[in-house]
Structures are given as structure tokens and as C-alpha cells.
Amino acid sequence: MTAAEAGVPALALHDVTMRFPGVIALKGISLEVNRAEVHAICGENGAGKSTLISILGGILPHGWYEGGLTLHGEPYEPNGVRAAEAQGIVVIHQELALCGNLSIADNIFLGHELTGGMLLKEEEAHERTSALLARVGLAVEPGRPAADLGIGQQQLVEIAKALAKDVRILILDEPTAALNDDDSDHLLGIIAQLRGEGTTCILVSHKLAEVRRIADRVTVIRDGAAVETLTIEEATEERIIRGMVGRDLEHRYPPREVSMGAEVLHVKDWTVPTLEDPERISGVNLSIRAGEIVGLCGLVGSGRTELAMSIFGRSFGGKPSGHLRIGGLEVSTPTVPDAIRAGLAYVTEDRKQLGLDLGSELRNNLTIVGLKKILRRGFIDDELEAGVVKKLMSRFGIRAANPSVAIGTLSGGNQQKALLGRWVLTDPKVLILDEPTRGVDVGAKYEIYSAINDLASRGVGVLLISSEIEELLGMADRIMAMSEGRISGELPARTASPESLMQLMTKEMR
Amino acid sequence: MTLDDKQASVKTRPAYGFAPMILRDLRRNSMVVALVIVVALFSFLTDGTVVRDANISNLIAQNGYVLILAVGMVMVIIAGHIDLSVGSVAGFVGAAAGVMIAYWSIPWPIVIVLALAVGGLIGAWQGFWIAYVGVPSFIVTLAGMITFRGLTLVVLGRNNIGSFPEGYRALGNGFLTDLAGEYETDPVTVGVFVLAAAVIALAAVRSRKRRLRLNGADEPFAWFLTKLVIQLGALLFVGFALARYKGIPVILIIVVLIVIIYTVLTRRTAFGRHVYAIGGNRRAAELSGVKTKRADLLIFVNMGVLAALAGLVFTARLNLSNPSSGTGFELEAIAAAFVGGAAIQGGAGTVGGAVIGGVVIGLLNNGMSILGLGTEWQQTVKGLVLLAAVGFDFWNKRRLARSRA
């Protein structure tokens, strides 16, 4: 829209190639971003989005890559993050980078402190912070520690921090990945407002609905090159997905024959206290049969993860009350090893903190849950282990150069497949999946869905926790909703709708 | 085909080129490089005194305690902890052993068992606070360092206890010598080392065959052979030196046994895997079903037992229980683990690396003593070596991280 007025693009890449040892991350990518537009970049994990962002933000400095960049028609050759920021280009990373112990104001001026002589000018910093927070619609005290804020609010502080640096081009990497719907809405509103004020935004996102809603143009990248740049009118979800994966995805959810057996998980009157809240989880009843997939939805803070982790060996909260049967076995206060032995497996939503040992080998990350399977006469047997690992990699489509690479170097999708697949080694009867496709690209999502269906068809009962209602509708047999630590309702998947579930998720339960 | 596929297919045929392979090995085994440099440097500076027969034998006897402590310490560090108390614990157990032998007249073999048990109890005490109360190991073992130094003084008063039975002293400075009669070069020692060399060569060839079968490729044969020849050469050099001097030191047998047992423990048992997993990501290990608290406790019990053994060995060699013995051992053990490639954040390190690190520290002690440098300069140099080792580790990791940014 404002493209014609400006004439030259705000930011352009010309035939940029970036090589890493053994892999070419970007292959002659060219791209033009207009002034004051929201330009979305879509691509699978591993398509080169992170590399692209790193180049734009100066994290990969000029000279490391071939090809050139221009900023408003002038050569743009940042030699580091500060140089990029000095020219008004700021990246907000997916993992937020606020120091929780510092105040909001301190965070905003971190590295660019307002000083008079040797001393900090705290009052001025607070005043300017208040003004910046007002611009992003956040009404909090600038002196509060950043750790007090929710993720959505922290994201807004990041934007305010960028504004403090006189940002002209704001690059957001999956800004809503960890946000609930309300916070996402607000954030997208702020982005639109910034565009109105003349700021250019580059938005990297997996959420196509959100891209469709806010972007002016969309560039799809695949295998390190731009496939096409579409205006928002042209950019239907189907077309974006086709560009990302290079083929049509007819079915986003693989078909499955449902056949159910005996009850494998039985939770009755389950109440879990925490220090702050004696009824953080309260009176939950839940039953899952062999081969059944039960969906569980709820807003952030509704207690989904807390419920799952309290069932999995009391990994959350204090001593629970109620009954818990896993595979017909009464285990009311199990430890994690007890729960695993009884046949429960839990795939965490927090892959990096609670799931994987990122610096360690793929192989070790896979076998750690089932070391018994690779023992021969009490000692770990390399060949047994190699066999087990090879089987898991092929069954779950875990793509890696070899089993000895550090798992942290794999794409999010492959990490997630490993996190899920390894539980096969413990022969689970019940599998709790907490956001199994978060931050995973479309192709890998399909593979994960297929793996879930396969496990269910072999008689595993699945509890699928997800924030994506569509995913629950596509995968589950019935869907339960949680609100304020309680089950607020249950619907069969075929009659449920996003609206009816949203109603249950927002129901007041206290 | 997604980029993932491509990445995979590019890398499935690993580049086993000659030069890159050498560089990779050198980078991964920086402690070996350090060892070679230190040996070469001191051989030059001392006109070869360092590698004379008697000195090689001395080197082993003098540094046995460092190697024993380094093995325990590297496991502590892999699990993401630290143990500052090992010097005091070694001192305390050495003192207690002295009292048991000299004042209470308990037979020395029983004293050894009791002393190791005391070490285990001390480890359990500290492990309890770390694992079940949740106090950081740095604090618990700092407290232990002070407490057990205090208790050493309580046990000994201001006295030294000396003159232990011969059998006990052999722990520190005994030799297996002249078992087959008196020769200039002891044939038994030579035989043992030749046998060891043969076993190592055979194991190397077999594991190369297995790698070829499992991975379809391995390092070039020439490089494999070069490394093997250097290793065996060094081994036989030491073997002949010992054979010409007094034979195989008892302490060497203890150290070799410990290295073998703990290499198997860390690499081939579920417990070993748990230790690495805990150091890599404690919460993730817990949610994988690892009993992290129990493992922490066992790691410190083990460290306590090894610290006790180090205390016994040291006391036996000096033939003296002394109120200040063991002072500074913890720093040598920690330095050995880090020079040997352990990661300060936990999750990485090897028993073999720590032992080589321990030998490097021992060589520094020994070489500088021969050169007549005082403890003031020895301390200075060792401090800088530790800093350089950890600095190199960080530099290396950052470089690797950048190459895959």
C-alpha cells in the first residue's frame, strides 16, 4: 500500500547465500520489504528463517555471507547487533531476553542506560518507560521486576524496548508462539498500530491465520530460497502451505481407525495443592481407554500441564488426594519411576527445560528413558543401543546425520519426534502429550500426528493437551476442557466446535 | 525434500579425511596435547631428568592420590556438582587410620576397610545435604572442607603419627619386584606391560572393526595406526623404565584398577548414563525416570570412599599422619578434571581425560620441583594452567556453537 509512495524498499536482500559447514542455509535468497508494511515470512523449520533473521539483525555479521543487503537503497552492512540497532533494525527473538531480576525500566534501557555523568537517571528512565509502555498498551509500574509479568506482557516489554531504540524495522520471531489468544490479539493490534505510525514489521510465524489477519505481504521460503512473495489477497492458507512444503497437504490430520479397549487411565477426585492455592487442581475425574485419544484444552493457567505433571509421579504441586489407576494398577502417590513402570509416559510441553539434554547426543536422549532395553548382563551394550536407536529414528522419522550428533543441533520437529518416540522404550499404556506440535512445522506435524495415531492403534491410551483447538478437533475422539483447575466440560469431537470449546474454557468454575 | 533431509544426506557419509580427522582428534583430546607439551617441555628444561627411570617411578608414586581423587571428582563435576572437601576428608581419614593403627593396634587390613567405610559415611553425610535438603554442593563441601580439617586436628591434636606396618606402607610406596628372581630389567614387569600393550592393541582393532560395521566408516587406517603406535610406545617406555628401576608400584595397580572400573561404570552402566543426564539437564532426567536424588547421594558416597583411599595412599607413602596433610588436594583434583576436558556446567567429561589431566598436574609438580622452583611458583603456574584449560574449553565451545549458529 505504501510501497509506491516510498519508491525504494525499506529493506532488501540481493542474492544472499549463507554457508555453514556441511549445509547451505540460504541459497541466493532475494527479498524486498516495503516501508511501513507488515511482511510475513513463512517457512518450515530449517527452511532458513532463523539464518535470515540473524543476518538482518547483525547476529551473523556482514562478510560471513555472500550477496548484499540494502536499507532504504543504501548498502546495509552491520558488523554486529549494536550496529544493526543503531540503524533502527531490532530483532525480538522467540525466546524472550528479559532479565527477570531487573525492573522493567532497567530492562528497557539495558545496554543504553540513561546516565548523567557516572550515575543512572532513574526518574527519567521511569518516565520514558511509562510513555513507552503506554504505546504498547501495557499499564504496569516501570519499577516492577520483569519476572512479575506474564509472557504476553514480557513480549510487550520487548517491543517497548525496541521502541526505545528508535526502531524503524522491527523483526519478530514467532511472537505469539507462547501466548494465549487474548495476548496474541493484543500483540497483533500493537503491530498494526506500529505500522500505522510508519514502522516496518517483519513477522516470522507458523500461525497462518494470524499471518492472514495482519500481514500486507507474505514471502514463503523453502530450502533457503524465496519461493514467492504474495499479497495478502493471494495468500490463502493452502497456497502458503503448498509453498512451504512444496506440495499440497490434502489432509492435515491423518485418518485413523478407532478401536477401544479396557480403561488404562483412571483419575478420580484428583486434587492437587500448591503453596499458594490448596486447590490448584480440584476434583478432576478422567478416564481413558486403550486406543482412545482424549483431547484436553484450556487457556493458559487453566491447569492442564499442572494436572498432567501431578499425575506423572507428582512432578507438580504438593501431595495430591484422590485415586489414580494406571493400567488397572492403583498408584495414588507414585514417584516418576513408579509412574513409568506402571505404564505412564509424559511428553512435556517444555522441550528445552524439562524434556531434552540439548548438549548431549541424540542417542543418549533417546535411550535415557529405557536403559533397561539396552543392557546385556547388566552393562550397556553399544550394539543393542545402536539397533534400538536406529529403529526409533526410522519409525518416527527422526532425521539426523547420525545418532551421535547433539540433539540441540536438530530442528524443532526432529527434537519433538525424538521426545515423543523415545517413550516407546518403556512400553506405555498411557501417553500424555503436552503441546506435542508446538513450534513444529507443517510437515513434521503430520508425521507426529501419524505417530500418535499409530500408538493409539496399538492400544495406547492418549491424553492430548493442546492450545490449538483445530488440532484437538482433528485428532481426538472426545475433548475435555479445563478452567481454573477444574474440568469444565466434555464434548465428543465430532459435535464439538471451536466456539463451544471456548465457552467451556472460559467458564467460571470457582 | 526438506532441508532436514539434505542436512542428513550430506552428513551420513562423514568426511573421514586425514587432516580434518587429526585436527578433530587433537581438539577433542586437548589433554593429550597438553600432556605431550608438558613432557616435552620438562624433558628439555631438565635435560631429560623427568623421563629417567627413577623419576617415572616416583612420578607415579607421588601422584597416585591425585589420580584417585580426579576419578571421583570428574563424576562429581559431570553431575554438575563440585567437591571442595576431598582434601580435608583425605586428611581426616588418613589421621583416623593412623590412630587406629598406632593407638588402637587394629590390624592394618581391617583399618583399610574401616577407613574406606568412614569415607563412605562422610560422603553420605554430605550427599544427604546436597541431594535431599537441596543445599548447593559448593556450600556443603565448603563446610565439609572446614569441618573435616577441624576434626583432623581433633583426632591428631598437634601430633604426627608415624611408623606404620610394612604391609600398610606398601599401599603408598611398595613395588612388585623381583618376583622371578633378580634381573637388571625385571622380566615380570616387562611381561605385564607387553601383555597390556597386546590387550590394548587387540581391543583397538576390534573396536575399529565394530565401528566400521556399525557406521560404515571410520578414521583412515594410517591415522588409527599412528595413534595406536604412539600409545603403545608410551606404555612400553614407561614399562621398561619401571622394569629397570624397582618394578611395578602397588599404587599403579590400584590406579589402573580404579580407571578400569570407573571407565566401565561411567560408560557402560545405567548409573553412568544417569550421571551424565543429571549434569546435562537435571529436570529432564528426573522426568525421564532417573532417580536423581539417589544418584546424587551415590556420587558423593563414591567421592567419599575415593577421598578416603587417597588419604590412605598418601599417609602410607609418607609413613606419617599429619594434621595438615591433604591440604590443597581438592584443587589439584578439580584442576585435573578440567584439564581432562570436563565441562564446568556439567554433563561432559571422562574418567580417562581426568586421569590424563591428573598426570599433567603431577608432571607440573614433579618437573617444577626438579627445576628447583619453590611452591610459590608452582602454585602460580598450576593456577594459570587451570585457567587456560577451562578457558580453552569455553573458547572451543563458542567456536563450535558459532559454526552452526
Side-chain angles (χ1 to χ4, degrees), chain A residues 123-264:
Chain A
E123 260 178 49
E124 192 189 335
H126 278 222
E127 275 164 31
R128 283 178 56 182
T129 300
S130 291
L132 290 166
L133 293 178
R135 277 180 73 188
V136 297
L138 191 58
V140 290
E141 246 311 291
R144 272 176 66 183
D148 284 3
L149 304 178
I151 294 182
Q153 292 175 317
Q154 292 195 19
Q155 189 71 263
L156 295 173
V157 171
E158 287 275 10
I159 293 180
K161 190 174 167 183
L163 292 176
K165 293 172 189 159
D166 292 323
V167 61
R168 287 194 294 171
I169 299 179
L170 182 62
I171 302 171
L172 300 122
D173 187 5
E174 300 278 0
T176 62
L179 303 192
N180 64 26
D181 288 351
D182 284 346
D183 285 345
S184 298
D185 273 349
H186 184 72
L187 182 76
L188 296 177
I190 296 295
I191 293 174
Q193 176 197 325
L194 291 175
R195 167 176 57 192
E197 295 167 11
T199 309
T200 305
C201 293
I202 298 176
L203 175 71
V204 172
S205 180
H206 275 122
K207 297 188 180 170
L208 301 185
E210 142 187 326
V211 165
R212 292 262 307 138
R213 192 172 124 198
I214 187 144
D216 301 304
R217 293 195 302 157
V218 182
T219 295
V220 182
I221 65 176
R222 182 173 78 232
D223 293 351
V227 178
E228 54 184 354
T229 296
L230 306 165
T231 64
I232 204 60
E233 292 77 27
E234 302 164 328
T236 59
E237 288 195 20
E238 289 70 27
R239 179 139 179 205
I240 297 174
I241 289 175
R242 191 165 66 225
M244 280 163 58
V245 301
R247 67 192 138 91
D248 284 300
L249 267 190
E250 278 184 24
H251 305 287
R252 277 199 236 174
Y253 302 99
R256 144 168 174 263
E257 294 266 327
V258 182
S259 106
M260 291 186 211
E263 182 182 61
V264 286

Side-chain angles (χ1 to χ4, degrees), chain B residues 60 63-72 255 258-259 336 354-359:
Chain B
I60 293 167
N63 292 294
Y65 74 89
V66 181
L67 303 184
I68 293 167
L69 290 174
V71 170
V255 168
I258 285 180
V259 170
V355 168
I356 294 177
V359 174

Side-chain angles (χ1 to χ4, degrees), chain B residues 330-351:
Chain B
E330 60 282 342
L331 298 178
E332 300 199 320
I334 292 167
F338 286 134
V339 170
I344 189 121
Q345 311 85 343
T350 59
V351 168

Side-chain angles (χ1 to χ4, degrees), chain A residues 20-24 27 44 46 60 64 223 309 312 315 336-337 340 352-357 364 367-369 371 374 379-380 382-383 385 399-401 409 411 414 422-423, chain B residues 1-8 10-12 14 210 213-214 264 267-271 273-274 276-277 279-281 283-291 347 402-405:
Chain A
F20 291 115
V23 62
I24 303 178
K27 274 180 251 171
E44 287 194 301
L60 292 171
W64 285 36
D223 293 351
M309 288 184 68
F312 187 61
S315 302
V336 172
I340 292 173
K352 289 183 180 164
Q353 302 299 325
L354 305 182
L356 300 173
D357 178 1
N364 295 350
T367 52
I368 185 71
V369 299
L371 290 173
I374 57 170
F379 290 98
I380 290 173
D382 289 351
E383 298 200 25
E385 182 173 38
R399 284 182 281 275
T409 63
S411 72
N414 282 316
R422 66 179 182 181
W423 285 107
Chain B
M1 185 148 136
T2 67
L3 198 67
D4 282 341
D5 292 321
K6 271 189 200 145
Q7 233 163 339
V10 167
K11 282 186 189 162
T12 30
R210 206 184 51 208
R213 193 170 69 239
L214 287 180
V264 171
R267 288 171 59 160
R268 301 291 298 276
T269 67
F271 176 72
R273 282 289 170 86
H274 291 170
Y276 281 95
N281 187 340
R283 283 288 281 149
E286 213 169 289
L287 290 175
S288 302
V290 174
K291 292 174 183 159
R402 206 164 46 205
S403 74
R404 59 172 182 243

Side-chain angles (χ1 to χ4, degrees), chain A residues 63-77:
Chain A
W64 285 36
Y65 45 87
E66 298 154 36
L69 272 59
T70 54
L71 184 63
H72 303 294
E74 303 289 320
Y76 168 58
E77 301 174 345

